[in-house]
Each structure stands twice: as C-alpha cells, then as structure tokens.
Amino acid sequence: MSDPVASIKALLDSESFSDKVRGLNQLRALEPAQAFPLLKPLVNDANPRIRYAAVSQLDPVGNADLEQSLQLLRDRLFNDPEIDVQSVAADVIGGLKLTAAYPDLKKAYEETPEWLLQMSIVATLGEMGDSRGFDLLKIALSSENSLIRTAAISALGELGNPDAFPLLVPLAQDEDWQVRYRLALAVGHLEHPDRQSLLQQLAQDKAEQVASTARELLAA
C-alpha cells in the first residue's frame, strides 16, 4: 500500500500547476502535524494561486506550529505582491487566534491603500477577539467604504465591548438596510442597559430581515 504522505509530497513537488492543486486538495485529509511541513514551502510558491491556496490552508494546519505559522503569515501580509494573498493571510491570523500579530495587522491597516486588505483586517480583529482591536475598529466604523464599515460593525459585536454600543446607535438610521441588519446582529452580542430599546426600534424596521432578526434577539 502506497504512503499517502509520500504521494501527496510528489504532487506538491511537481512543476505542474494541476498536480500541485491536486496535492493541496489531498493535503486536507492529513493531520496538521503531517500536513504542515508539506504545506510550508507552497506559501512562497511562484504561482499566486498556489500561494493563496496554501495560505488559506494554514487555518487549521498552522495549529501544528503556531510560531512558524505566525512568521509565514507576517511575511505574506507585508511582502506578497498579490493583495488577495495578503488579505487571506490576515484572515488566517484571525482564524488561528494569533494575537501576537495585532501590531502587524494595525500597521498593515494604516499603511495599505487597498480596501480589500483593510476589510480582511477588520473582519479578522473580530474573529481574533483581541480587545486591543477596539480603537482600530472605531476608526474603521467611519470608513467611506461601506464594506469596511459593515465589517467593523460585525467585529465590534464579536469583541463584545459594551463601549461599542454608543458608537453603533446612530447606525439605526443608516439608509443601507444591510448596515442596520449588521447592527442588529452586533447589538445582540453587547450587554448594555439600552440594548432592549434599540432592538425594539430595529424590530419595527421597514426591512423585514432587520426586523425579524431584532425580534428573534428580543425573544431569546
């Protein structure tokens, strides 16, 4: 019977793009400790599609060696020439809860002109759950980009800091129903004396998805 690790390594070592993709797909069947050393070189592959797929798989494979994963992700966050690879590196930092990378995420958010990377960083701050992200999320809440703003609303809810409540209240009047919908979900995570009254207001929203979400939270 053939060794699955050896056969996957042969695919990953191939010069063929399709072989590498097959190898990456088969890598998912291995335990993180087996998969990590095979995946690591592909994070720096010459092909951006391979790099993207490899970085994506570091969550959860990177749990096998969080210190090395942090180094690999920091490098891709700042040095990859492709913005979607940088963005997925930010996503995976959050998925692996690598809170040591918070200063890197903050620096990248402040320095990049790319909205896609900023949005990924905002989303990952919520997933990572690091309280230091609160001040950066306050800034993101004022972004001119609506996708960054809605990501910031969700992330503030995930952080669960009640200080976010007064920052979110004005958004109940936002013209975009998706902003109000994200607001309802975020408020559901926050403990605040005025939480019920805001949810009651949102329960009367003209957008049914907003109203039904608020009603469900009130009934919970």
Side-chain angles (χ1 to χ4, degrees):
M1 188 174 178
S2 63
D3 178 1
V5 175
S7 62
I8 292 171
K9 186 177 188 306
L11 288 171
L12 296 176
D13 288 343
S14 170
E15 294 298 318
S16 163
F17 174 79
S18 59
D19 282 350
K20 284 186 177 180
V21 171
R22 283 172 54 213
L24 281 164
N25 288 333
Q26 293 178 25
L27 204 61
R28 299 178 192 278
L30 300 180
E31 292 295 318
Q34 293 177 302
F36 184 77
L38 300 180
L39 186 63
K40 190 168 63 167
L42 299 181
V43 170
N44 293 297
D45 193 86
N47 188 302
R49 297 300 89 213
I50 297 297
R51 292 201 306 278
Y52 181 91
V55 172
S56 298
Q57 284 197 41
L58 281 173
D59 183 13
V61 170
N63 281 304
D65 191 328
L66 290 174
E67 187 173 339
Q68 278 197 61
S69 294
L70 177 59
Q71 293 173 7
L72 291 170
L73 291 165
R74 275 176 171 153
D75 180 62
R76 291 303 86 197
L77 178 65
F78 288 109
N79 299 321
D80 202 279
E82 300 292 327
I83 193 62
D84 58 347
V85 179
Q86 292 181 13
S87 298
V88 79
D91 294 338
V92 172
I93 285 170
L96 293 176
K97 303 289 192 292
L98 295 172
T99 55
Y102 172 73
D104 303 292
L105 293 170
K106 182 175 184 292
K107 177 179 169 63
Y109 182 91
E110 292 171 347
E111 293 182 354
T112 184
E114 300 285 350
W115 70 266
L116 181 62
L117 179 54
Q118 287 189 327
M119 188 175 72
S120 294
I121 290 169
V122 166
T124 217
L125 289 175
E127 188 175 10
M128 196 162 67
D130 191 319
S131 61
R132 291 175 294 175
F134 183 80
D135 289 338
L136 186 55
L137 292 175
K138 282 171 61 177
I139 294 169
L141 199 59
S142 301
S143 172
E144 293 180 1
N145 186 300
S146 62
L147 294 173
I148 294 174
R149 287 174 58 227
T150 52
I153 295 166
S154 297
L156 284 166
E158 288 179 275
L159 279 190
N161 185 337
D163 289 343
F165 190 87
L167 303 175
L168 296 173
V169 169
L171 299 175
Q173 310 300 328
D174 197 279
E175 293 180 359
D176 187 343
W177 74 266
Q178 294 183 71
V179 167
R180 302 194 305 275
Y181 172 66
R182 294 289 189 100
L183 171 63
L185 292 173
V187 168
H189 292 291
L190 301 176
E191 295 293 334
H192 192 276
D194 296 327
R195 175 179 178 270
Q196 294 295 96
S197 60
L198 181 56
L199 286 174
Q200 287 166 358
Q201 178 185 339
L202 293 169
Q204 306 301 317
D205 197 275
K206 59 187 176 183
E208 178 53 31
Q209 195 166 356
V210 178
S212 61
T213 297
R215 288 195 293 269
E216 288 172 11
L217 288 165
L218 284 166

